[in-house]
Amino acid sequence: MRRVVVTGMGAVTPIGNTVPDAWAAVKAGKCGVDFIRSMDTSEHKIKIGAEVRDLPIDDLLGKKEARKMSRYCQLAMIAAKEAYQDSGLEHARPEDPYRFGVIVSSGVGGMDAMETEHIKAMEKGYDRLSPFFVTEIIPNMGAGYIAIAFGARGMCSSVVTACASGTNAVGDAFHRIRDGYADVMIAGGAEATIDHLALGGFTSMKALHDGTDITRASIPFDKERSGFVMGEGAGILILEEFERAKARGAKIYGEIVGYGSTCDAHHITLPMEDGEGAALAMMQALADGKVNPEQIGYINAHGTGTPPNDRIETCAIKTALGPAAKTVSISSTKSMTGHLLGATGAVESIFSILALRDGYIPATINYRVPDPECDLDITPNQGKNKEIEYAMSNTFGFGGHNATLVFRKYKGE
């Protein structure tokens, strides 16, 4: 099995529009939750979200290109450009473009375009829809645009597994390189669902926090948690076969060593009460990377802030790690970014890798009321310095999808 390393990263998030800015915000414990400004919420119960702001999309993509894309595609392309430039691949592209692939996901796709174009159709007729309507709404177009931009002619795919999409994309890309089918992969996820349809739909299913105190909105593991906060963003990673990266003198952020993916086959939205499916995904990832539970120093938890999720994830971590669950440092960076749906796993993979690089455990911010059913070390309110060799990142999605990645600190060997 070949080693797989991360040589480039790009991110657009509610707490920073580049990886350095987002990571600095994580270390500062910045909260990206605020009142929604991009749309009129007067007819909505939900008033707050975690929006990407101050992003000069036309300048970064070009106005002509940007208008062809829905917002999730725009965010994916901007993050991919950062990651590609960061990796140095611009001057060291794979000799064989068919061994250079893309797996970039979205849990929903272009819901904003669907909403806008439906309104247009009602007012002007269906024959007046944008010629880009179809390509704006389908979830694979982020991957397609990225492949075209960088000449990646290998496998080009989009894994749609709801909130687990970004993690599955990174994990599948990791295995593709490790098992010899590719040398370089662009992987990650993007989402942009702060719109009328998404807010209305998630409100109806009672998944969202509906208060207006931004400091008590996205509060994973807190006993007073009552739902997640809708966020938007993108995370893109450049994955590369280790020997190739080393030979070209690439900057190496960290190594991916394990990946697990399961399905609860239980309920369309609720996880299994005992967390069996999630626990098995973690155990698969540990076995895949030949890592013992006590070697895991940090877990970036799924930690959405919904009452069942955090309680069940706590149970799953205890099952998967055994006695080591009591000593591992855990946090949910969703307390800062909100829930980025299909992008969340990719963005949290970036945070996990940087936690290894810097020896820093992010906090779970705005935590006040302990929950006896969430009794692990969730790093409340204040991040901490801690040298760790392995980190784990969990994501779970509607449909019963569970995905876990294990990363290793790169020490130059």
Side-chain angles (χ1 to χ4, degrees), residues 23-202:
W23 182 237
V26 166
K27 285 187 166 183
K30 178 181 177 181
C31 183
V33 177
D34 205 343
F35 287 91
I36 294 171
R37 300 178 192 172
S38 62
M39 55 175 275
D40 180 4
T41 62
S42 59
E43 296 185 9
H44 286 271
K45 190 175 185 179
I46 304 302
K47 307 297 182 184
I48 62 173
E51 296 176 293
V52 169
R53 292 180 175 166
D54 303 318
L55 184 67
I57 291 174
D58 288 349
D59 293 341
L60 292 168
L61 297 179
K63 190 172 183 178
K64 184 177 179 181
E65 282 301 302
R67 67 184 293 268
K68 299 176 185 177
M69 304 176 187
S70 60
R71 185 168 173 81
Y72 95 91
C73 267
Q74 294 171 343
L75 301 183
M77 275 299 303
I78 290 167
K81 285 189 170 187
E82 181 190 0
Y84 190 76
Q85 183 176 17
D86 182 46
S87 71
L89 282 178
E90 188 175 3
H91 307 292
R93 291 172 58 159
E95 297 77 12
D96 183 352
Y98 291 97
R99 294 186 62 80
F100 178 22
V102 179
I103 306 180
V104 171
S105 297
S106 177
V108 177
M111 188 175 283
D112 57 331
M114 189 176 296
E115 181 178 296
T116 300
E117 293 300 313
H118 181 258
I119 292 170
K120 184 193 295 184
M122 292 295 96
E123 293 175 348
K124 300 181 179 180
Y126 286 99
D127 292 342
R128 297 294 299 277
L129 291 176
S130 166
F132 302 113
F133 171 58
V134 172
T135 55
E136 282 184 300
I137 65 170
I138 51 181
N140 68 305
M141 286 311 296
Y145 274 116
I146 290 167
I148 291 167
F150 304 116
R153 295 186 177 182
M155 179 181 184
C156 183
S157 181
S158 180
V159 186
V160 181
T161 49
C163 303
S165 299
T167 298
N168 281 132
V170 175
D172 289 350
F174 155 59
H175 274 181
R176 193 151 185 86
I177 296 174
R178 188 196 66 179
D179 296 344
Y181 297 103
D183 297 323
V184 179
M185 296 290 294
I186 302 175
E191 205 79 88
T193 49
I194 298 181
D195 54 53
H196 294 290
L197 281 175
L199 282 184
F202 280 102

Side-chain angles (χ1 to χ4, degrees), residues 220-221 225 264 266-267 269-280 282 301-321 325 330 371-376 394 396 400-402:
F221 302 110
R225 65 191 184 277
D264 289 347
H266 167 68
H267 189 274
T269 58
L270 290 174
M272 299 174 74
E273 187 61 31
D274 62 359
E276 179 186 344
L280 184 57
M282 291 182 240
H302 188 52
T304 59
T306 62
N309 176 90
D310 300 357
R311 169 175 49 80
I312 292 170
E313 185 174 9
T314 300
C315 183
I317 291 170
K318 290 176 180 179
T319 300
L321 269 62
I330 301 166
D371 184 346
E373 294 188 298
C374 301
D375 57 350
L376 301 179
N394 289 331
F396 314 128
H401 304 290
N402 307 299

Side-chain angles (χ1 to χ4, degrees), residues 373-385:
E373 294 188 298
C374 301
D375 57 350
L376 301 179
D377 176 13
I378 54 95
T379 319
N381 299 317
Q382 184 63 53
K384 59 189 177 186
N385 295 318

Side-chain angles (χ1 to χ4, degrees), residues 228-307:
F228 72 82
V229 172
M230 184 77 77
E232 61 177 354
I236 301 293
L237 298 88
I238 305 297
L239 277 53
E240 195 166 349
E241 191 272 322
F242 171 65
E243 294 297 341
R244 182 187 192 280
K246 187 177 179 181
R248 72 177 182 88
K251 170 179 56 187
I252 295 176
Y253 284 102
E255 185 171 357
I256 305 180
V257 297
Y259 170 48
S261 184
T262 66
C263 182
D264 289 347
H266 167 68
H267 189 274
I268 57 171
T269 58
L270 290 174
M272 299 174 74
E273 187 61 31
D274 62 359
E276 179 186 344
L280 184 57
M282 291 182 240
M283 293 163 74
Q284 284 183 356
L286 290 169
D288 194 43
K290 297 180 174 59
V291 178
N292 296 321
E294 59 270 17
Q295 291 178 282
I296 299 294
Y298 170 57
I299 299 176
N300 190 302
H302 188 52
T304 59
T306 62

